[in-house]
Structures are given as C-alpha cells and as structure tokens.
Amino acid sequence: MSMSPAEQTPAADAAAVLREATFVRLRVYASGAAVAAAGVLGRALRTRNIPFRIRATDAPEPAANDDVAVAVGLSETDRDLELDPRDAVSVTRELGVDPDPAVALAGLHAAGVSPEDDSELMDAATGAGIESRPGVAVPTGDLADGIAHSTLVHAPVSADREAAQAMLAELSLPAELDADAHRRVASLVAIEATGGEATPRATTAVERALHPHATPDGPFETVGGFADVLDATVKEAPGTAVALALGHDVRETALDAWRDHAQATHAALREASTGRYESLYVLSCDLSSPGRLATVARLARDFRSPEPTVLAVGAGAAALVSTGPAGLDEQLAAAATELGDASATGSKQEATITFDPAVDSADVVAAVREVRR
C-alpha cells in the first residue's frame, strides 16, 4: 500500500492510510521529539491491533510490498508517509485513540512546542495528575543528579554531580522542597546557565529547563526530564528509547544512558576547538557518535554560539543544527556528495552526516560551507 510522498502528511490523511495498513514500519530520527511521537503512534496502533515496528536507526530494512513505511522527524523519499513529530497527537486522535498525556507532552517539550493551546491534551494531563510547578525540569528525585546530567542546559556544574551538590548546598534547602525552595533552585540554575561564557541566546534557551510539569505517576519526575531522557537515550541506546516511549519498564537502563550521554557531550563541548564563519559556528570534537555530536551542536547553539547555525565535527561524523528551519537535511545531503562514501539524514532543523573517519575535519567544514553559500 503506497501513496505519493508529500512532505508533512496531514493528520487525517496519515490516519486514513494507517487505519487500513496490514503492517506499519516507523523509521524514526534519533531525537526525543521523534521517538516520543513514535511512542504515541505505536500505542495507538497497538490499541487498534495494527502490527507495527519502530526503528531509530540509519540501517536500511527490507519491507513487504503492502507495508506502510512512515518517516517520523526526518526527510526521506522512500516512504509512504512523512510525519512531523508535532503531529503525532493529531494523528492518534484521528485514529480514535486518546494519546498518553505524559509521552505526548514529553514529545512536545522535546520539539520545543508549548502544549498550552491544546486544551484537550492539557485536560487529560490534569486528569493524570500532571501539573505545573516552580523549579527545574529533571527526571530524577535527586536534584544534584538531575541538574548535573541534564542536557537541557549547559552550565559550570554540568556533568559534575559533586559540583551540583555543592551548589545546591549553598541554598540550605529543606528536606521536603516547597514552592519557594523550587523557585530558588530554578533561579540558581538560570544564573549558572546564563553567566560566564554564555551567549545572550542562553537567556531564552534555559527556559526549557524551568517551570516544569510534575508527573507524580509517570516514570520520571517531570515532563521535561522525561523528554531529556528520551532525547539522550535514543542517541545512546535506540531500542531502550523506543521501549520507554511505548511504556515498557526500562527506567533505570534509560537513566544510565542519559547520564552517559550527558557526561560525554558536556565534556566534548568544553574541550572542543572552535571556529567562526559567516552565520556558522564550528566545533571540532573528539567524538564519533552522530547523536552525541547533535547534542553538542544543540548545546553550543543555545548556550555558546554567537552564530545561529552550529556544525559539530568529529571522527567520521558531524551534526548541523540551527535556530530555525534552514534546510539542513538538504545541505548535509549535498555536502555528502563532496565527501565520497558519506550519507546524511535528518530534518530541516537538525541533521547528521557520517563519512570515512580518514576524511579531515577541515574538508567537512569546507564542504558544508560550500553548500550553504
């Protein structure tokens, strides 16, 4: 079963195709927004007894002629449907299924979208005990652990639990945090993340980690923390991230992946050598994972880069992110043709490329600069 590919398939059209599918294959970009969207859709397909498979990998997968191939959060030509992760809730409703509010909200948070305009989703969230409160969006009850390993912010205490603990000790917090204590923690994190080497953009970027929605009955402490774990885990252990988005009990495994990801990416950002070009900030990192490089690039864009677009280059891989839709998938696809045996994937907002590790990073930068002219 196939239809003519069209970017950003409308929710009603997507649901009509999925409703008649005999098997659905969802190919997911390695981002928290995309894997959360796949989780929302997967739960809906499961409710409707439609067999499906979710893969967050670049590896090709053979498909039967009657399978429906869905690309979530990435641009592909060889698919039947191309879905923006932000549309997962609408597609699920078109299928006659109510989306899980915690996963849906985590996906919107990861996508940088406010859910406040969706009164139906917010009502469902309230019914599930999810509520807004002061403080910081972390996944764990241990604030020092949550702040140190958050990839929503980059601050002097990032990837250093002992430093985060010492910072919190200065606040003399009560054993049971009240609203005032949460506010003081949020204020301190905001100050730490926007001072020193931080760029003006950090003042806005840090807001993603503040004013969280608490999830007392969810797998993590807050919606933002859930989104952070999904985004980190899909880059470290895709199968675990998919299982988490589908509701399986993999909390501790996911948290381990989240901590590993934070340690590697914050350290890489601090140690990277940098270069600045017109509208492009480049970091050279000692990393080979496209997913880790994507997080480094995002953190640099939000907290360190004076330019709107950031390229993080490692050994055999690179990631390109920007402050807004900029056709990054097309740019890296074009750059790949200049780098020999290279391949690119992603969306207009974020894309990654893999290439022969023997290729010099200067050649990668030159290829990307050339296609951006």
Side-chain angles (χ1 to χ4, degrees):
M1 177 185 298
S2 64
M3 56 184 291
S4 299
E7 290 189 3
Q8 311 308 324
T9 309
D13 293 347
V17 174
L18 294 174
R19 197 177 292 116
E20 301 300 321
T22 57
F23 194 90
V24 178
R25 297 182 185 274
L26 295 106
R27 169 118 184 277
V28 180
Y29 183 60
S31 73
V35 77
V40 168
L41 292 170
R43 292 172 189 232
L45 294 171
R46 186 166 59 196
T47 298
R48 292 189 62 92
N49 295 315
I50 300 171
F52 66 93
R53 181 173 180 175
I54 301 173
R55 287 173 60 86
T57 175
D58 292 338
E61 180 183 25
N65 291 333
D66 58 350
D67 291 349
V68 172
V70 184
V72 184
L74 51 81
S75 301
E76 283 195 338
T77 56
D78 187 21
R79 54 20 179 187
D80 300 300
L81 305 175
E82 183 177 308
L83 298 181
D84 187 313
R86 296 170 294 184
D87 292 337
V89 169
S90 297
V91 175
T92 295
R93 288 179 180 146
E94 291 284 350
L95 288 171
V97 179
D98 293 326
D100 179 275
V103 182
L105 286 174
L108 293 177
H109 186 283
V113 175
S114 172
E116 302 300 329
D117 292 338
D118 191 333
S119 59
E120 187 176 346
L121 180 59
M122 295 310 297
D123 287 345
T126 299
I130 300 172
E131 59 181 3
S132 178
R133 65 157 172 78
V136 181
V138 294
T140 62
D142 183 335
L143 269 180
D145 181 32
I147 293 170
H149 295 108
S150 173
T151 67
L152 300 179
V153 297
H154 180 70
V157 300
S158 294
D160 189 338
R161 189 181 182 282
E162 291 184 0
Q165 202 161 28
M167 179 188 74
L168 292 171
E170 296 176 2
L171 297 178
S172 300
L173 298 170
E176 293 293 330
L177 300 187
D178 56 14
D180 179 66
H182 280 299
R183 289 190 188 94
R184 287 191 287 143
V185 171
S187 295
L188 184 56
V189 169
I191 290 170
E192 290 290 311
T194 57
E197 299 177 27
T199 56
R201 196 178 297 121
T203 304
T204 301
V206 74
E207 293 178 2
R208 292 187 66 216
L210 308 179
H211 313 296
H213 282 84
T215 52
D217 296 322
F220 303 103
E221 294 293 313
T222 66
V223 165
F226 192 175
D228 192 20
V229 171
L230 281 171
D231 193 67
T233 303
V234 75
K235 294 172 170 63
E236 297 288 325
T240 299
V242 169
L244 181 62
L246 288 173
H248 299 294
D249 184 12
V250 292
R251 181 180 187 276
E252 294 306 318
T253 303
L255 284 173
D256 287 343
W258 165 71
R259 293 185 185 101
D260 289 344
H261 190 75
Q263 291 285 343
T265 55
H266 286 295
L269 178 54
R270 289 194 181 100
E271 297 165 4
S273 58
T274 63
R276 185 178 181 182
Y277 306 90
E278 183 179 358
S279 301
L280 181 68
Y281 191 64
V282 176
L283 301 99
S284 295
C285 309
D286 187 20
L287 294 174
S288 59
S289 161
R292 289 183 174 183
L293 287 163
T295 298
V296 171
R298 173 176 57 80
L299 288 171
R301 177 199 66 190
D302 292 345
F303 295 94
R304 293 292 183 266
S305 174
E307 300 294 346
T309 303
V310 176
L311 174 69
V313 185
L320 190 65
V321 304
S322 190
T323 53
L328 303 188
D329 51 343
E330 296 176 357
Q331 290 175 16
L332 281 194
T337 63
E338 303 298 320
L339 295 173
D341 187 17
S343 62
T345 186
S347 66
K348 292 178 174 60
Q349 297 84 6
E350 178 183 305
T352 60
I353 184 172
T354 56
F355 46 85
D356 189 327
V359 173
D360 191 272
S361 61
D363 293 335
V364 179
V365 175
V368 172
R369 291 185 64 202
E370 180 63 29
V371 300
R372 286 175 51 79
R373 290 181 181 178

